[in-house]
Amino acid sequence: MRAASSLRLLVGIAVAGALSLAMSPGLRRSAPAAAESPTAGEPRLFGEGVLATPDDEFGGTLSPDGQTFLYCKSVPRSQFYVIVESRRKSGRWSSPRVTPFSGRYRDSDPVSSRDGSRLYFVSDRPVGGVDRKNFDVWSVPRRGEVWGEPENLGPPINSDKNEYFVSFTRDGTIYFTSAREGSHGPIDVWRSRLEAGRYSEPENLGEAINGKEWVNVEAWIAEDESFLLVGAFGHADGPGDSDIFVSYRKEGAFGPLRPLGPSVNTPAREYSPRISLGGRRLFFTSERGMPTQSRSAPWTAAEFRRASGAVLNGLGNIYQTDLEAALARTR
């Protein structure tokens, strides 16, 4: 669940519908596919002009084969959002299209399985024909380019409270965020082991990760479970109201959350961290740009209008950067 919308989602609870997306001028072109090597230095926009547009975008995940990119587009500020996909064709990213299973309900934060055969996401869609007005974790199978029907994960992962985000270790352990009973704060990070093909009763990660004032919306676990990335509100040591933090696991226990450096975290909102399957690239969402620009003179009406229609207009964009560079000085 995108960080920019989560505070609103807490008190009640991240694109227009499929037709408006298909007709959007920013979606009619194709962009060169990103290089497979990690980016050095400062983070850069992923797929600028096609995947990164003036629209509000967040939560990007690259398929294991590197040929499909799935992410979310939102109606600012996050009243409705859909999952879209872009495919690499002849070295370029295609114009994104709404996935066949999305476009009707609020669907968020796609995460691919290791083999690419299944996609996990969060949705407020009805369960068994009953609208519970609740966000659950869902999955949808995929064979080649054909999507199946979404399936609710059910208990013990889903509860009668909201679930927001999932990620997996190499052995199938699921890390997720939830507002369920037993949480230390508004949204906590939880973990469930995969045992004999079933998920065990979830365990809270404890006070090193979860706190009374911490809204831990997203939690991405490293495949070997050596560290955890958290996108969160409410941490006093971050430069913005939503930042990305890391915790390292040593001798079976997670240490305190530490904010990533200024190349990732800024006074704008940063959230929705993901690591490429090869473990070399960090993808994240940032709202840096127009609202955080330093200016020597006030905006004119014409300047403001142009900037509001540009990619860096302060709505969400997806960035990529070298993972090791992003983690530097946090160990």
Side-chain angles (χ1 to χ4, degrees):
M1 183 63 57
R2 77 168 302 160
S5 66
S6 297
L7 289 183
R8 284 180 290 278
L9 294 172
L10 285 175
V11 297
I13 194 177
V15 204
L19 290 177
S20 61
L21 281 172
M23 297 304 294
S24 173
L27 304 181
R28 295 175 183 164
R29 301 162 51 203
S30 62
E36 291 304 313
S37 59
T39 57
E42 292 296 309
R44 63 184 176 89
L45 289 165
F46 187 74
E48 184 173 4
V50 175
L51 309 183
T53 74
D55 295 342
D56 195 26
E57 297 137 346
F58 68 99
T61 189
L62 193 64
S63 64
D65 63 7
Q67 300 304 303
T68 302
F69 194 70
L70 292 117
Y71 62 106
C72 294
K73 280 183 174 283
S74 167
V75 173
R77 305 247 359 133
S78 304
Q79 298 303 307
F80 183 70
Y81 25 88
V82 297
I83 297 174
V84 300
E85 66 178 326
S86 172
R87 294 179 179 172
R88 194 204 307 258
K89 298 180 179 179
S90 302
R92 303 178 72 85
W93 289 111
S94 66
S95 297
R97 300 292 180 184
V98 178
T99 58
F101 60 86
S102 190
R104 184 176 178 185
Y105 305 102
R106 289 190 289 180
D107 301 326
S108 176
D109 287 301
V111 172
S112 179
S113 63
R114 283 181 55 82
D115 62 2
S117 66
R118 189 166 289 271
L119 188 78
Y120 295 83
F121 65 101
V122 173
S123 178
D124 67 346
R125 62 187 59 209
V127 179
V130 178
D131 184 1
R132 301 190 303 149
K133 302 186 186 302
N134 189 15
F135 282 86
D136 276 347
V137 181
W138 294 72
S139 72
V140 58
R142 182 178 186 178
R143 291 186 178 181
E145 297 188 356
V146 179
W147 294 102
E149 292 298 318
E151 304 164 3
N152 188 283
L153 257 62
I157 304 305
N158 291 324
S159 68
D160 60 353
K161 305 295 184 180
N162 288 303
E163 279 69 48
Y164 297 93
F165 190 93
V166 298
S167 61
F168 299 88
T169 65
R170 190 177 293 118
D171 66 6
T173 298
I174 183 172
Y175 280 67
F176 64 100
T177 58
S178 176
R180 66 184 55 210
E181 297 297 331
S183 293
H184 295 274
I187 303 177
D188 278 15
V189 183
W190 295 75
R191 171 178 62 194
S192 176
R193 302 289 186 188
L194 186 62
E195 300 173 350
R198 294 179 178 273
Y199 284 111
S200 62
E201 191 64 26
E203 58 180 310
N204 189 286
L205 260 60
E207 294 181 357
I209 303 299
N210 302 311
K212 184 177 180 181
E213 305 296 331
W214 299 346
V215 186
N216 291 334
V217 186
E218 303 122 348
W220 184 274
I221 187 65
E223 286 189 333
D224 62 1
E225 218 167 356
S226 61
F227 66 91
L228 177 73
L229 295 173
V230 177
F233 287 98
H235 291 256
D237 53 350
D241 64 344
S242 175
D243 297 291
I244 299 175
F245 299 80
V246 63
S247 169
Y248 294 98
R249 186 168 176 257
K250 297 179 180 179
E251 299 180 356
F254 284 100
L257 289 170
R258 304 173 183 175
L260 299 189
S263 67
V264 173
N265 288 328
T266 72
R269 287 174 171 170
E270 278 75 38
Y271 45 96
S272 202
R274 286 164 171 76
I275 301 171
S276 63
L277 187 61
R280 302 179 67 190
R281 280 190 285 176
L282 169 66
F283 291 92
F284 67 97
T285 302
S286 177
E287 296 178 1
R288 66 191 66 186
M290 183 182 176
T292 56
Q293 290 176 358
S294 177
R295 293 179 56 85
S296 59
W299 290 94
T300 67
E303 289 173 334
F304 194 90
R305 185 169 55 252
R306 286 194 299 269
S308 296
V311 173
L312 297 179
N313 57 4
L315 299 179
N317 286 303
I318 298 169
Y319 288 77
Q320 65 167 332
T321 192
D322 177 78
L323 177 62
E324 284 304 313
L327 296 177
R329 295 182 290 181
T330 64
R331 298 187 187 278

